[in-house]
Amino acid sequence: SKLSDDYEKLFESEVGYDVIIYAGEGPNIKEFHAHSNILFIRSGYFRSAFSNKWAEKKDGKFIYRKPNISPHLFNIILRFIYCGKIELKNLQGSDVLELFVSRYLVKHQAKFLYQKPT
Amino acid sequence: MSSRKQPKGKIRPPKKPNSADAQFNDNWDRLAQAIREIHKKNASILSFEELYRNAYNMVLHKNGDKLYNGVREVITQHLEEVAVSQVVPAFPLSGASSSQTNPNGAGGANFLKVLKTVWEDHTTCMLMIRDILMYMDRVYAKTANVPLVYDLGLDLFRDTIVRSQNYPIQNHLLEVLLQQIKLERENEIIDRTNVKASIDMLLELTDASTKDTVYATDFENKFLETSSEYYRVEGQMLVGEYDAPEYMKKVDKRLNEEEQRVRHYLSQTTEPKIRNIVEEELISKHLKTVIEMENSGLIPMLRNEKMDDLGRMYKLFGRVVKGHDEMKSAISDYIRELGKAINETVTSNTTAEGGNAASGDKQTGATVAVRWVQEVLDLKDKFDKVQNLALSNDKAFQTSFNEAFEYFINKNSKSPEFISLFIDDNLKKGLKGKTEEEVDSVLDKTITLFRFIGEKDVFERYYKQHLAKRLLLGRSVSDDAERGMIGKLKVECGYQFTTKLEGMFNDMRISSDTMTDFKEYLDKSVLEKPKLDLSVTVLTSTFWPMNLSASPRCNLPPELTKACGTFQNFYLGRHSGRRLTWQSNMGTADIRGSFKARKHELNVSTYQMVILLMFNDKQDGESLSYEQIKGESDIPEADLKRNLQSLACAKYKILVKEPKGKEINPGDQFNFNNDFTAPLQRIKIQTVASKVESEGERKETREKVEEARKHQTEAAIVRIMKDRKTMEHNLLIAEVVKQLQSRFMPNPALIKKRIEALIEREYLERATGDRRVYNYLA
């Protein structure tokens, strides 16, 4: 199996997670579980967000709130952070635009932007 | 996110320019407020996600420049406030009074401590600000070509605090730092952490125009200047107060301290600079003074073999350009001086002895030679030890020492003879107390002296003479030792140098075989057997130092002449075409003498035998005059005198001389000493073989050497010209010198004369066009 597949499994299984992320607002809020190491390594943004200066912690877990994004989209982004894969055919036009807007989350944004389906 | 107006909670690209301003103000207010909170150390109430988003939005909506300038303004304001409220109140009392009221620089230390806190706060805040403005750094700063926000913070800190236009922070900072260092140099304990914090701060700040660190532009030069001045004063003080070893210890300590200082709280780039200053002020400027310090400088150290001090001086002075040169020349001068003293004791000894040279006390000459060599060897040992223990076997020093040895050894014109005599002494005496290994090591050392001799050909001549005597008189310790020595010489000078010496050994071996054959021949022969045992050593004339043409003649007794004839027939029968010349001056004889008391066996030289046998025909009490003996024996005068001396004036008086005295003079009368007694039955009449030559002999040796040099020079010229065919005068001279200098240093006048001689004999000609060029004539 490929390394990226294993990371995707890790993301889905949530084994040993230490980050709780609340994405979305109001009724459309969803809780994600993730691993700070992965986020730390893959994203400069998360590196700062989980640094001692800024991190919010509860019961030994990082708490991170991201209200201005839909859980659906955040799921795609998180998955990309873990394994570098993105399912473009599941995306709608507006999703792509939002992904574009959200690219600050991830360092490796360029790849999928160029693969926008016609 | 309650204030956000987007209905779907999604981030949208800007579409409504009207709301953009409002949104900008809103975003900026939040950020400015947040930065202030950060400065107040209140960051825990802030949300990273929200602040990041605000900055992101501002940059995204093309308000990056406004954001950037706003941030600059907020930080500047904050730093201005810090300067007034924290830094300025911490100023130490300045000027001359500060050192009085704060003898330990406590005010200064406190100031540094405050600065340290201010700096740490600043950097911590800037890291947080950098976090929330990450997007601005990444997108705006890059395209606008402005410093990243953290670097902006550093620049602001530099201009607002460190180089404040409003307050003399910079002056205080530099003054305090230099003062702290000065205190430490004077053995006060300072808080290095505070100093280091300030230094690190200066190292992190960059000077805008030079792109160098503020440490380098503002601090380093001032530090070096004050250090220079400090050590200039200290150097003068130390030189006046301490002796050389103490001085060097102090310098060592200073160098060490400065190195430690740099390592602990300054920049590594300063290390070579401050080292240069200490080296310049404490070493370079006082080199000669320290070397020449009376009772403690370099020469006293050598005299007293202070290896530690010498080693320290070597290491210390090696740091500066002229250091080792000064040491080298001082030591070399000292070696020359000591060498001169050794030479002088020898010359004063030989001249003193010159007066009674003919007194029969011939051993003294050799003793002088042995002592000279021994003293030179001791000197060499001493400096080898210095070289080994204190000078890390430095090649340059070795070369310079060697030159000094070479100089004074060649100043003594007798050194080739002396060294040969010394070897002679060791190869003869060897078994008297010294083991073979000891002899070998002494000879090894002697070889090092041999290397210094310029006139190796002179040495060779003496060595041959001494070796000949050792071999013929059977005085050599052992063949092994002799061959060992020749082996050493071969290593030094190549085989040409030693082929003749080896030939001498061969002759000895062949002669011993010949004598066995001769005995067999006699046994089988029907001829009348000689009435005496004859032992002959046949020498190849070209190998041995004896001069054939001047071969000493003497009238041998008839029995001996007859025996010689028998041998001659035997030998020439086996080797036709050879010529035998008898060297009666080299032989020995065992004869039996009947005295009143008892019979004695006398071991004498051939000459002594000839003299003694003359008394056989005389009645008791009948004397022979010097002239009679001379006339009848035909022994050369010098040899005759010496042998008569050995018989009549030395330990065993076989002859009685009238008048008595140590000298042999014409007109002296000699009588057989019938009353002679001696405890031993067998007596050896000493004729001393090795001795320093008399002036006459020396002159003769010199002439022989000069003659040999002529031949060698001509041979070299012909060899070179045969190879080159045509050559310019100066080049030829240079080449000849090059080829001969391992044996002796030919002077150009000699070479020129030889060239002319060769032209005369038509080996060479002058070129028709250019008289400075020679052609080889095949």
Side-chain angles (χ1 to χ4, degrees), chain A residues 25 44-45 48-49 51 53-54 64-70 94 97-98 100-104 106-107, chain B residues 1 4 9-11 13 38 43 46-49 51-53 56 124 127-129 131-132 134-135 138:
Chain A
E25 264 177 309
Y45 173 87
S48 291
S51 72
K53 288 163 285 177
W54 298 107
Y64 175 74
R65 296 168 209 282
K66 185 69 189 157
N68 62 329
I69 195 164
S70 71
S94 64
L97 191 61
E98 279 205 60
F100 172 73
V101 171
S102 309
R103 69 194 171 114
Y104 63 73
V106 197
K107 259 183 150 179
Chain B
M1 289 299 102
R4 290 191 52 89
K10 287 184 181 175
I11 302 165
I38 289 172
L46 302 169
S47 157
F48 170 75
E49 194 276 333
L51 294 172
Y52 186 98
R53 182 147 36 83
Y56 170 81
T124 313
L127 287 175
M128 299 183 79
I129 294 169
D131 283 344
I132 56 177
M134 193 188 299
Y135 194 73
R138 197 186 292 162

Side-chain angles (χ1 to χ4, degrees), chain A residues 43-99:
Chain A
S43 156
Y45 173 87
F46 281 118
R47 198 148 47 238
S48 291
F50 293 146
S51 72
N52 287 333
K53 288 163 285 177
W54 298 107
E56 181 187 347
K57 271 194 161 186
K58 202 175 166 187
D59 302 332
K61 291 196 164 47
F62 291 102
I63 306 296
Y64 175 74
R65 296 168 209 282
K66 185 69 189 157
N68 62 329
I69 195 164
S70 71
H72 166 67
L73 208 54
F74 194 74
N75 186 17
I76 294 171
I77 291 169
L78 258 189
R79 190 176 299 273
F80 177 75
I81 288 176
Y82 266 81
C83 59
K85 285 199 280 196
I86 202 146
E87 290 282 325
L88 288 175
K89 55 178 179 268
N90 294 345
L91 292 175
Q92 295 164 356
S94 64
D95 289 339
V96 175
L97 191 61
E98 279 205 60
L99 265 181

Side-chain angles (χ1 to χ4, degrees), chain B residues 363-381:
Chain B
Q363 207 58 37
T364 320
T367 316
V368 168
V370 170
R371 210 179 57 219
W372 181 84
V373 174
Q374 194 55 55
E375 278 179 32
V376 176
L377 280 179
D378 290 348
L379 193 64
K380 182 89 174 63
D381 268 352

